[in-house]
Amino acid sequence: MVAENNLSASDLILPIFVTEGKNKIEKIKTMPGVFRYSIDKLNPIIKQASKLKIPLVAIFPHTPNKKKNSVGSEGLNEDNLVCKAIIKIKKINPNIGVMADVALDPYTDHGHDGILKNEEVLNDETVEILSEQALLQAQMGCDVIAPSDMMDGRVGVIRKVLDKNNFKNVQILSYAAKYASNFYGPFRNAIGSIKKLKGNKKSYQMDYKNSSEALREVALDIKEGADFVMVKPALPYLDVIKLVKDNFKIPVFGYQVSGEYTMIAQSIRNKILKEDAILESLMSIKRAGASAIVTYFAIDVAKKINK
Ligand code: PBG
């Protein structure tokens, strides 16, 4: 009766890693209990997510090295993994929401989210490519376009391109306050970009010393047309989630990233933490003000809640 917050399956967004080939469900070494699926193997997990009433899945591609280059052109290939996954998921269940990242890091041979020149990421040139990537994903049936690249001005350009091409109902979830974080390590391993990454992403992702800057980033993205904004990572940045929630009337989402997942999942496996730590971590993110949470625990938690 007096609980101030609750968690339901409709608050959860399930990330799914996809890989090339057939008949594959690969373990991800850095993320115990998380797998990469070939497109033909997506059926059971989508059916399960649907049954559990998880409203949205987020697709992340593991691109083979031979398809990577300096400008990430595989991101614009209409036959790439993300495109195939969107089509397949919509075939399995047209009513489950599909979200896809807009960023070049799964496709670049240097691992950065944009194109590089003299060791620098070029903002405006990257935004052009990202808007094409977003349009392609919308054409494939993607419901939520999620720019995770942190270039300046990309939300506005993507919104314009989507509207012009009659994708007015496709929504934009902007990774508005995305920190240059150490907690992305296991994910970079999962998509195969970790060995590739030259340097770091600090020229475009946020400095973890800052929080007012997050408000500026969010304000810009709202003005440019974002439908929701993301704070990422989540647990080390609960103050930022709360700050955004208190300052703007827009849904804010939290991303419980791979490093957060692995710390908890591994400790539970090693019997150092009780399983209830998962719920506690997610409830904290909700308590801070998140409307929804991207989490690799989505299936486990939805099962538990539905029980
Ligand atoms: C890439 C991207 C990253 C994550 C989601 N999209 C990593 C990065 O910026 O290097 C991280 C997710 C996670 O760690 O779970 N644009």
Side-chain angles (χ1 to χ4, degrees):
M1 269 171 67
V2 294
E4 293 174 23
N5 290 285
N6 261 304
L7 189 69
S8 78
S10 63
D11 299 325
L12 304 172
I13 300 169
L14 169 70
I16 298 178
F17 294 104
V18 290
T19 190
E20 297 214 330
K22 280 215 162 75
N23 206 20
K24 281 199 211 157
I25 301 185
E26 296 172 349
K27 280 188 179 165
I28 297 170
K29 252 194 278 162
T30 49
M31 300 175 72
V34 180
F35 301 87
R36 288 189 207 103
Y37 300 84
S38 56
I39 304 294
D40 60 316
K41 284 290 188 184
L42 284 171
N43 205 50
I45 186 156
I46 296 302
K47 287 257 164 74
Q48 193 178 27
S50 309
K51 207 175 125 212
L52 292 166
K53 300 208 160 47
I54 292 173
L56 188 62
V57 297
I59 306 166
F60 296 102
H62 178 264
T63 309
N65 283 339
K66 61 175 193 297
K67 293 196 174 167
K68 296 184 181 184
N69 60 26
S70 63
V71 292
S73 40
E74 178 66 7
L76 301 182
N77 172 6
E78 58 186 49
D79 210 24
N80 71 19
L81 268 171
V82 169
C83 294
K84 283 196 264 199
I86 298 170
I87 292 169
K88 177 75 178 184
I89 294 170
K90 285 293 177 184
K91 230 180 241 166
I92 299 168
N93 178 6
N95 292 321
I96 195 161
V98 179
M99 148 179 163
D101 255 32
V102 171
L104 298 181
D105 59 313
Y107 312 109
T108 52
D109 55 14
H110 43 71
H112 280 285
D113 295 34
I115 51 180
L116 272 184
K117 197 173 175 188
N118 305 329
E119 318 261 297
E120 253 181 57
V121 176
L122 300 179
N123 190 91
D124 297 5
E125 290 80 349
T126 299
V127 169
E128 281 305 308
I129 302 177
L130 296 176
S131 66
E132 287 178 48
Q133 186 186 19
L135 177 60
L136 177 64
Q137 291 169 349
Q139 286 164 338
M140 295 297 147
C142 191
D143 304 287
V144 178
I145 300 290
S148 71
D149 54 286
M150 287 293 279
M151 299 302 123
D152 289 332
R154 87 281 203 222
V155 172
V157 174
I158 291 171
R159 186 71 270 165
K160 238 185 233 146
V161 168
L162 291 177
D163 288 353
K164 212 173 92 195
N165 288 276
N166 232 349
F167 292 107
K168 297 191 167 67
N169 292 330
V170 170
Q171 316 215 21
I172 298 179
L173 166 57
S174 166
Y175 287 79
K178 178 173 177 180
Y179 285 82
S181 172
N182 295 293
F183 290 93
Y184 305 149
F187 172 96
R188 289 181 189 163
N189 189 289
I191 67 161
S193 70
I194 194 152
K195 286 203 198 95
K196 294 264 167 196
L197 184 62
K198 285 198 184 127
N200 59 57
K201 300 191 177 184
K202 291 185 178 180
S203 72
Y204 47 105
Q205 298 181 349
M206 279 185 53
D207 187 334
Y208 54 67
K209 297 187 206 85
N210 291 359
S211 57
S212 298
E213 188 186 2
L215 292 179
R216 285 206 301 281
E217 292 280 2
V218 168
L220 282 170
D221 287 359
I222 293 175
K223 207 166 153 200
E224 289 176 28
D227 296 282
F228 347 79
V229 294
M230 184 93 85
V231 173
K232 175 182 178 185
L235 212 53
Y237 296 88
L238 293 179
D239 58 321
V240 180
I241 295 176
K242 174 106 176 86
L243 206 56
V244 174
K245 172 73 181 169
D246 288 347
N247 281 282
F248 298 98
K249 304 277 175 276
I250 191 168
V252 51
F253 294 179
Y255 195 138
Q256 183 178 55
V257 300
S258 56
E260 298 176 66
Y261 169 84
T262 298
M263 286 194 298
I264 298 172
Q266 198 59 56
S267 302
I268 291 171
R269 271 170 196 237
N270 294 343
K271 302 204 172 357
I272 293 166
L273 285 183
K274 282 196 187 150
E275 217 183 300
D276 196 44
I278 299 171
L279 268 182
E280 183 182 338
S281 69
L282 296 174
M283 201 62 79
S284 307
I285 298 166
K286 286 222 67 185
R287 195 184 62 237
S291 312
I293 305 167
V294 185
T295 173
Y296 303 95
F297 287 118
I299 293 273
D300 297 343
V301 170
K303 270 191 202 158
K304 204 166 199 170
I305 297 170
N306 287 357
K307 233 199 262 168

